[in-house]
Amino acid sequence: MAQAETTSGKGRQQSARSSGWVTDWPALAACRTTDPDELFVQGAAQNRAKAVCTGCPVRTECLADALDNRVEFGVWGGMTERERRALLRRRPSVTSWRRLLETARTEYERYVPLEDNDLTAILDQAI
């Protein structure tokens, strides 16, 4: 996997995807410097936790990992445990969320170049 780091105008490091899937996604995650206790919350606090995922360059990889490993707690890839359980119930035949989301992203990017990880559009297309 070829990958490069670029710096945005605000001085933040961003992942430049030159091809494919990021396997070392935790190193690039927007939440990597967040207190983990802020991501494992309940109720209305989950919306604040999900906001951390907005614009994360590896949001799709994170979500696929959580779905493939049936992670039960916390916000992963912008989805709560309840949202992930509902998705797993709706799509019980999916054996690899990574493969499904990676394929959906590739197909989506053929038609609409992504400036960042537009998980909503990718999921809408995949589900």
Side-chain angles (χ1 to χ4, degrees), residues 6-111:
T6 60
T7 304
S8 71
K10 296 183 180 175
R12 294 178 308 183
Q13 292 283 321
Q14 294 180 335
S15 170
R17 236 182 260 284
S18 57
S19 69
W21 197 257
V22 178
T23 55
D24 186 28
W25 63 265
L28 299 173
C31 63
R32 71 185 175 280
T33 59
T34 303
D35 178 1
D37 289 340
E38 293 179 26
L39 301 173
F40 294 87
V41 293
Q42 296 192 336
Q46 290 180 328
N47 289 328
R48 288 189 298 276
K50 287 168 59 171
V52 173
C53 303
T54 304
C56 179
V58 290
R59 185 174 173 187
T60 307
E61 288 86 345
C62 175
L63 178 60
D65 189 63
L67 291 167
D68 282 337
N69 292 298
R70 303 303 193 260
V71 176
E72 293 184 29
F73 303 104
V75 172
W76 295 84
M79 293 182 85
T80 66
E81 55 264 25
R82 176 178 276 176
E83 292 167 333
R84 291 192 309 277
R85 278 194 308 270
L87 183 55
L88 289 167
R89 277 193 304 272
R90 282 195 310 270
R91 297 293 301 271
S93 63
V94 175
T95 58
S96 172
W97 286 93
R98 174 188 169 163
R99 187 171 48 245
L100 180 115
L101 294 175
E102 186 174 9
T103 300
R105 174 194 282 157
T106 301
E107 290 298 312
Y108 183 81
E109 288 177 344
R110 282 188 192 174
Y111 302 103

